Amino acid sequence: MKRHIDLLHGRILRSLTELALPIMATSLVQTAYNLTDMAWIGRVGSPAVAAVGAAGMYTWLSTGIVTLARMGGQVKVAHSLGKGEGGEAIEYGRGAIQLTVALALAFALTSNLFTREMIGFFGLSSEKIAADAGIYLRITCGLILFSFLNQTMTGLFTAIGDSGTPFLANCTGLAVNMVLDPLLIFGLGPFPRMEAAGAAVATVTAQMMVTLVLVKRASHDTVLFNKIGLQKLTKGKYFVEILRLGVPSSLQSMLYSAISMVLTRMIASWGDAAVAVQRVGGQVECISWMTGEGFGSAMNAFTGQNYGARFYGRVKRGYGVALAVVGLWGTFTSCLLVFGAEPIFRIFIQEEQVVPIGISYLVILGIGQMPMCEELLTVGALQGLGRTLSCSVITIVLTAARIPLALFLTGTGLGLNGIWWALTATSMAKGLIFVLYYLWVLNRLPGTAAVGQEAGR
């Protein structure tokens, strides 16, 4: 497979597939990465899962922070390359990486200064669980720099049409994580038993390895990375443009995480076992979530480059192809969760009093997988057009609706299942609204290329 995919010419399905398959494979590797952690920590017991789950909400929140740099950098690099402005692309790439480092250091400092308050938010009933969560938070968020760099560099590699490098890097990280998890969690051989802390150390070590691979490959890139030169500060106007596109997506991601944290606090009122179930369900859902998001990243780069080149007809046709592919994947994952809920959940937690709760969660969650995948794809396509603000507004409004809807449904006799249904109902609504909105946006684009002639179909 070619390292750099030409997104402006040739057949759309082939171009999209060549770019998307490594991204989807990377997403599946990252899913396996998370599921490996959960499978091992689940054998310690549901309290350990609850500790990792609570602290892990902040690593999820951090994804929104790095989006400030990653999204603006990825979209503007793709636009610049589509227009043939290589020098401009270099400025945006450099600015994205420099902003990423600054954000990572600020988040790491905050996480270590306010650990007690951050974990205390969830109101965990056990002091031992809260203490373990605090340790996990200090390690994973204190060394968040590697995760931040990985996300931004992955976005930039995708923007230049190279999705193979992030896949290679994440496979390396997965291998490291799979080896270290049992050694550090259970204390095999010369290693001490560290449980939740061991999972954190394994995760951060694996992230370091991913960063090393990305940096090594970047040093040999001739399209963007070898010309960046981080010692030179990017001009202010490029930072402004990165932030203009990054702020809406960042707020969307952080508010999404914050809303999920509020829901986690509501879930905690049903006991620590319910928090553990949510953590496991969230990781299992990554099978479709990260794949849909991965294809959305491919659409981001494909749409960004073709929009920059004013190949509007190619933008429209690309979305139609991608919508069909992602719809099939979402349908498959829905069937997997609905009909395979019990054996899937038992992989992670075997405690008989917890299993029925987990089965209900996976079945309800499974119903909304297909529209969720369509939503993630469409968000990537809209962001590729530079419409990050409209994406954020739709996502924030409908995601925020989960809180009052959950409060209402839990009071109808559904109990904890009311929260699960609130998640699924809003996912279905977002999928439908995003697809209809993007079709409206596409109909407002010219039907043919405004400049030049589109190459290929």
Side-chain angles (χ1 to χ4, degrees):
M1 182 175 289
K2 295 176 291 185
R3 184 167 176 183
H4 296 287
I5 309 301
D6 183 357
L7 302 178
L8 299 175
H9 307 90
R11 293 191 175 277
I12 290 174
L13 180 58
R14 180 175 179 178
S15 296
L16 268 176
T17 301
E18 287 185 344
L19 183 64
L21 282 180
I23 296 175
M24 293 171 70
T26 299
S27 297
L28 289 174
V29 167
Q30 291 171 338
T31 300
Y33 188 103
N34 294 330
L35 292 176
T36 298
D37 271 352
M38 195 51 54
W40 286 114
I41 203 68
R43 281 162 172 72
V44 176
S46 58
V49 176
V52 172
M57 297 299 295
Y58 289 104
T59 60
W60 186 14
L61 179 66
S62 75
T63 301
I65 295 173
V66 72
T67 299
L68 274 171
R70 180 188 64 80
M71 183 55 63
Q74 179 176 342
V75 172
K76 295 308 297 182
V77 166
H79 284 181
S80 298
L81 292 176
K83 293 185 297 183
E85 297 288 346
E88 188 177 81
I90 291 166
E91 290 289 344
Y92 282 122
R94 180 192 301 125
I97 293 175
Q98 290 173 343
L99 184 57
T100 294
V101 173
L103 292 170
L105 295 177
F107 188 75
L109 180 62
T110 301
S111 298
N112 276 275
L113 288 177
F114 300 101
T115 302
R116 182 182 296 273
E117 291 80 3
M118 292 166 73
I119 297 301
F121 170 81
F122 296 107
L124 297 170
S125 60
S126 166
E127 291 185 8
K128 174 66 166 57
I129 293 176
D132 286 345
I135 294 171
Y136 188 91
L137 177 68
R138 286 182 180 276
I139 296 171
T140 55
C141 292
L143 296 170
I144 203 72
L145 174 63
F146 303 102
S147 174
F148 273 31
L149 284 173
N150 296 342
Q151 293 177 66
T152 295
M153 292 184 70
T154 293
L156 296 178
F157 271 114
T158 302
I160 64 177
D162 177 7
S163 54
T165 289
F167 173 65
L168 173 65
N170 278 278
C171 283
T172 303
L174 174 63
V176 171
N177 195 58
M178 290 179 70
V179 171
L180 291 181
D181 260 342
L183 295 178
L184 299 179
I185 291 173
F186 298 105
L188 302 180
F191 298 94
R193 183 182 177 93
M194 299 173 67
E195 298 186 358
V201 173
T203 295
V204 170
T205 304
Q207 289 170 347
M208 290 180 184
M209 294 304 300
V210 173
T211 305
L212 286 175
V213 174
L214 290 174
V215 170
K216 177 67 175 177
R217 298 278 286 187
S219 67
H220 295 95
D221 172 68
T222 59
V223 176
L224 177 71
F225 288 99
N226 70 326
K227 304 168 186 174
I228 282 180
L230 293 176
Q231 70 279 3
K232 179 182 177 182
L233 184 64
T234 299
K235 295 179 182 178
K237 65 178 183 179
Y238 295 103
F239 281 120
V240 170
E241 192 65 13
I242 289 171
L243 291 172
R244 182 183 70 82
L245 290 177
V247 165
S249 295
S250 177
L251 289 175
Q252 167 193 324
S253 181
M254 286 190 289
L255 285 172
Y256 191 99
S257 302
I259 291 164
S260 296
M261 291 165 69
V262 171
L263 289 171
T264 299
R265 184 168 182 171
M266 293 172 60
I267 292 166
S269 66
W270 271 271
D272 295 330
V275 177
V277 166
Q278 182 202 27
R279 174 65 175 177
V280 170
Q283 295 305 316
V284 171
E285 188 183 31
C286 282
I287 296 170
S288 54
W289 171 278
M290 298 191 74
T291 304
E293 193 169 56
F295 218 103
S297 294
M299 277 304 299
N300 184 310
F302 177 89
T303 304
Q305 286 199 24
N306 283 280
Y307 182 73
R310 302 185 185 181
F311 291 169
Y312 302 129
R314 192 172 171 86
V315 169
K316 296 177 182 180
R317 292 194 297 274
Y319 179 70
V321 170
L323 194 68
V325 173
V326 171
L328 289 174
W329 176 257
T331 301
F332 166 74
T333 54
S334 286
C335 293
L336 184 65
L337 294 186
V338 170
F339 298 109
E342 181 171 358
I344 291 174
F345 189 80
R346 284 186 180 275
I347 294 173
F348 306 98
I349 295 179
Q350 294 81 38
E351 297 162 59
E352 292 301 326
Q353 71 275 20
V354 180
V355 170
I357 306 173
I359 293 172
S360 294
Y361 185 24
L362 292 187
V363 170
I364 296 169
L365 204 64
I367 295 171
Q369 295 307 292
M370 192 274 282
M372 183 190 71
C373 287
E374 303 284 25
E375 170 205 345
L376 294 171
L377 169 73
T378 308
V379 167
L382 282 165
Q383 290 169 339
L385 294 179
R387 291 178 176 259
T388 56
L389 180 59
S390 56
C391 287
S392 299
V393 171
I394 295 171
T395 299
I396 290 169
V397 169
L398 290 177
T399 304
R402 289 178 168 178
I403 296 175
L405 184 58
L407 289 170
F408 170 75
L409 292 177
T410 53
T412 63
L414 288 172
L416 181 59
N417 283 344
I419 298 180
W420 311 148
W421 277 114
L423 299 176
T424 292
T426 51
S427 288
M428 295 176 71
K430 285 191 290 183
L432 177 62
I433 291 172
F434 265 113
V435 170
L436 292 177
Y437 172 64
Y438 190 62
L439 291 176
W440 177 80
V441 170
L442 289 181
N443 286 333
R444 293 170 63 86
L445 292 177
T448 58
V451 176
Q453 182 69 34
E454 291 186 57
R457 297 181 62 189

